[in-house]
Amino acid sequence: MPEIQGAIRVLRAKGYKVTQPRKQVLKVLTQAQKPVSPYDVQKILQQRGEHLDHVTIYRILDLLCLLNLAHKVLLSGGFVKCALGDEEGCHRFMVCRQCGAFQEFADKSLCEEENELAWHLGFRTEQHFSEFFGLCAKCQG
Amino acid sequence: MPEIQGAIRVLRAKGYKVTQPRKQVLKVLTQAQKPVSPYDVQKILQQRGEHLDHVTIYRILDLLCLLNLAHKVLLSGGFVKCALGDEEGCHRFMVCRQCGAFQEFADKSLCEEENELAWHLGFRTEQHFSEFFGLCAKCQG
DNA sequence: CTACATAATGCAATATTGTTGCATTTACAA
DNA sequence: TTGTAAATGCAACAATATTGCATTATGTAG
């Protein structure tokens, strides 16, 4: 598990403890062929006879994301917020990680570029969703 | 409420009934300055002394999405799936709406283009997430 | 090696999100 | 005005997510 060793080094280097639950979650993520939800992690562990509280799993995943040892994927079926209107199936949002402000913007050429890229990979795109996380103008102190 | 009238026309044209609950939800979406979750819709209505079952709200929002009168937005805080690894803060997925297959792909120039666009709008991007929904090669029969 | 301080976990409780089946009501057309 | 098909409400439940606090375990200092 070389990947896990690397993650463990990062944990230690940043002053976080290397606990059994953290190692268990890292192992699940490393072995998983797909992105997994916190709930998936719990079920996979249960199948091995191991048990972790789901709260613990959430906290570990949050930490791993914070340390860039994991990342969040927003697949379909996710949190749903609806707004009225249709902008040609291309929805691009900027979300400020500081103040939570968000702003939608459209860029037609970018959409076409994306479509073309996917097309070359054999994929026919019907809807785009993009989110940029970062700092808005106000929060770039 | 010109927007609502338009939506109502679409409903009628497609043979869907124009019911009180549907008009209530459309009104909430139209007045909302932000994307709202189904739960948000319910709370907003409650504040006005109106009440709709949450199941009804889910069904209406699904219908509006189906008719392209609304769309789903995947903001941060959504359904979380984590995988180990860090690919420079740019995660682009193609998800097949038919078979659910997904595939991650990277494109550096696209990322830079996106960063630049956001930059011109005063936004400093740290992480990208993109999802393309459509049909994979296998499902384009 | 032991014991301490504190970080991390487990647990309890609760809130939010989402789905299904069926009884009842409502919209709209005849 | 009335019939009927569509839509809603209700009940039940499953899954997802967050908070506060008691308990446990890690890493360190002795």
Side-chain angles (χ1 to χ4, degrees):
Chain A
M1 303 282 142
E3 270 190 85
I4 290 184
Q5 290 311 319
I8 287 176
R9 265 192 298 275
V10 172
L11 283 174
R12 262 196 243 283
K14 303 265 183 177
Y16 294 97
K17 294 182 178 175
V18 178
T19 62
Q20 279 307 317
R22 284 175 182 170
K23 285 193 279 187
Q24 285 169 279
V25 171
L26 279 170
K27 191 173 169 190
V28 169
L29 289 183
T30 301
Q31 295 177 339
Q33 295 301 309
K34 296 187 171 192
V36 289
S37 70
Y39 191 76
D40 291 335
V41 172
Q42 192 174 43
K43 279 189 297 186
I44 290 170
L45 287 171
Q46 265 167 9
Q47 285 165 9
R48 301 182 186 165
E50 304 174 25
H51 174 266
L52 285 185
D53 193 89
H54 72 282
V55 177
T56 301
I57 295 169
Y58 278 107
R59 290 195 273 229
I60 291 173
L61 291 173
D62 283 345
L63 176 64
L64 295 180
C65 287
L66 183 71
L67 298 177
N68 249 328
L69 294 171
H71 65 265
K72 293 183 179 185
V73 177
L74 310 172
L75 292 177
S76 71
F79 194 74
V80 178
K81 291 181 180 274
C82 290
L84 203 61
D86 171 35
E87 295 94 20
E88 299 175 6
C90 186
H91 308 292
R92 212 173 294 276
F93 286 83
M94 297 179 300
V95 186
C96 179
R97 67 165 159 78
Q98 192 100 53
C99 69
F102 74 92
Q103 186 184 342
E104 188 165 6
F105 76 98
D107 188 274
K108 196 145 186 155
S109 72
L110 209 55
C111 279
E112 285 165 8
E113 223 169 313
E114 289 178 345
N115 282 341
E116 202 169 325
L117 260 168
W119 177 259
H120 284 309
L121 294 167
F123 192 81
R124 180 174 305 203
T125 305
E126 295 168 347
Q127 295 266 332
H128 300 232
F129 294 98
S130 288
E131 291 165 13
F132 302 167
F133 295 98
L135 290 176
C136 72
K138 285 181 189 170
C139 293
Q140 291 172 30
Chain B
M1 301 283 143
E3 271 189 84
I4 291 185
Q5 291 309 319
I8 287 176
R9 265 192 298 276
V10 172
L11 282 174
R12 261 197 246 283
K14 303 266 184 177
Y16 293 97
K17 294 183 177 175
V18 178
T19 62
Q20 279 308 315
R22 284 174 182 172
K23 284 193 281 188
Q24 285 168 279
V25 171
L26 279 169
K27 192 173 169 189
V28 169
L29 287 183
T30 302
Q31 295 176 341
Q33 296 299 309
K34 296 188 173 192
V36 290
S37 69
Y39 191 76
D40 291 335
V41 171
Q42 191 174 43
K43 279 188 297 186
I44 291 169
L45 286 171
Q46 265 167 8
Q47 285 166 7
R48 300 181 185 165
E50 304 173 26
H51 174 265
L52 285 185
D53 192 89
H54 73 284
V55 177
T56 301
I57 294 170
Y58 278 106
R59 289 195 274 230
I60 290 173
L61 291 173
D62 282 344
L63 176 64
L64 295 179
C65 287
L66 183 70
L67 298 177
N68 249 328
L69 295 170
H71 66 264
K72 292 184 179 183
V73 178
L74 309 173
L75 291 177
S76 71
F79 194 75
V80 179
K81 290 180 179 276
C82 290
L84 202 61
D86 172 36
E87 295 96 19
E88 299 176 8
C90 186
H91 307 292
R92 212 174 293 277
F93 286 84
M94 299 180 298
V95 186
C96 180
R97 66 163 160 81
Q98 192 98 50
C99 68
F102 73 92
Q103 186 184 341
E104 187 164 7
F105 75 99
D107 188 273
K108 196 144 186 156
S109 73
L110 208 56
C111 280
E112 284 166 9
E113 223 169 313
E114 288 179 346
N115 281 342
E116 201 168 326
L117 259 167
W119 178 259
H120 284 310
L121 294 166
F123 191 82
R124 179 174 306 203
T125 305
E126 295 169 348
Q127 294 266 332
H128 300 232
F129 295 99
S130 289
E131 289 164 17
F132 302 168
F133 294 99
L135 289 176
C136 73
K138 285 182 189 170
C139 293
Q140 291 172 31

